[in-house]
Amino acid sequence: AQSVAQPEDQVNVAEGNPLTVKCTYSVSGNPYLFWYVQYPNRGLQFLLKYITGDNLVKGSYGFEAEFNKSQTSFHLKKPSALVSDSALYFCAVTYYGNNRLAFGKGNQVVVIP
Amino acid sequence: EAGVAQSPRYKIIEKRQSVAFWCNPISGHATLYWYQQILGQGPKLLIQFQNNGVVDDSQLPKDRFSAERLKGVDSTLKIQPAKLEDSAVYLCASSLATGGRASYEQYFGPGTRLTVT
């Protein structure tokens, strides 16, 4: 079965500083990896995904993530955080032929003005 | 394009009562999912439909939860009777038919926040 670990409950960062949200995964076979963002009282919004190809994936709102197979990680990054990036971020994993996404518990990101 | 629609947005019921949630997926999306998101946790898949057939309901508490997707479009999720631990946000998502890379992108509705007292 697939699983995701997001080790930090909350990430605090000053506006304009780089933002990193960590994610490690466990899956049988080649992973398909996703990041979603959730704003209060809203559903999850898709940010980016890794299926195959270049390990550095670029997504919405200036976010990117790097797939590292040896470390089984898929950390989310943004070079310069905005106050509007404050939200709950979820990492998720599945694999070829299986549409069941396994989500992490989420990371609350707080960007301080 | 219109997103995934869900109703109601909020519901408060007493334990042992019944409740139903409705979902309308993105037009053309053959696959529909219901998730349960308990406060402080990530979403957990309850059931997955492909058109009007069930693909995966292994994590659905079938003694009290039921779901249907008649005609392969809209779906309803029902809880009867509700328990206190059912308090959660119920999310509906949809994706293109399984198979192909695009099918792995799931698009979520705003969710229904259920409070059981």
Side-chain angles (χ1 to χ4, degrees):
Chain A
Q2 59 269 42
S3 65
V4 164
Q6 294 181 249
E8 300 161 316
D9 289 332
Q10 182 164 311
V11 175
N12 297 323
V13 61
E15 186 177 24
N17 281 4
L19 169 64
T20 298
V21 188
K22 296 180 180 178
C23 170
T24 58
Y25 66 88
S26 174
V27 68
S28 301
N30 293 323
Y32 293 175
L33 294 152
F34 302 80
W35 276 100
Y36 285 84
V37 61
Q38 187 174 36
Y39 297 98
N41 300 315
R42 303 275 295 275
L44 277 70
Q45 296 179 33
F46 172 80
L47 277 180
L48 51 79
K49 68 181 178 185
Y50 171 83
I51 301 294
T52 187
D54 194 345
N55 288 345
L56 184 63
V57 178
K58 294 187 183 297
S60 306
Y61 313 120
F63 283 95
E64 59 186 30
E66 186 166 11
F67 170 63
N68 188 317
K69 188 172 184 178
S70 63
Q71 297 186 4
T72 62
S73 68
F74 189 57
H75 301 330
L76 181 70
K77 300 179 181 181
K78 186 171 183 179
S80 178
L82 301 172
V83 172
S84 57
D85 294 329
S86 298
L88 193 55
Y89 290 80
F90 290 95
C91 182
V93 68
T94 187
Y95 56 91
Y96 176 76
N98 185 326
N99 284 71
R100 183 195 292 188
L101 282 176
F103 285 87
K105 64 178 175 60
N107 284 123
Q108 183 67 49
V109 169
V110 178
V111 182
I112 303 163
Chain B
E1 64 181 7
V4 176
Q6 289 188 248
S7 68
R9 292 294 311 277
Y10 305 91
K11 190 75 176 178
I12 301 174
I13 62 172
E14 296 181 350
K15 59 183 179 183
R16 292 187 289 273
Q17 286 186 324
S18 63
V19 64
F21 313 127
W22 172 83
C23 172
N24 180 247
I26 292 173
S27 178
H29 281 193
T31 309
L32 185 147
Y33 313 79
W34 283 103
Y35 289 86
Q36 180 191 60
Q37 185 180 12
I38 293 173
L39 186 64
Q41 299 180 20
K44 182 186 81 171
L45 180 69
L46 292 175
I47 188 167
Q48 175 186 341
F49 291 94
Q50 174 81 4
N51 295 309
N52 61 350
V54 175
V55 174
D56 183 352
D57 65 355
S58 58
Q59 300 187 102
L60 186 74
K62 298 180 186 63
D63 58 334
R64 298 184 301 105
F65 286 65
S66 64
E68 61 182 9
R69 192 184 183 198
L70 300 176
K71 302 180 182 179
V73 181
D74 294 4
S75 176
T76 57
L77 176 69
K78 297 180 181 178
I79 308 175
Q80 182 179 8
K83 293 185 175 181
L84 295 176
E85 59 261 35
D86 298 331
S87 293
V89 175
Y90 291 85
L91 295 165
C92 179
S94 69
S95 69
L96 292 170
T98 52
R101 298 176 183 179
S103 70
Y104 294 93
E105 279 186 40
Q106 297 184 22
Y107 296 84
F108 285 79
T112 297
R113 182 177 298 277
L114 174 67
T115 303
V116 182
T117 62

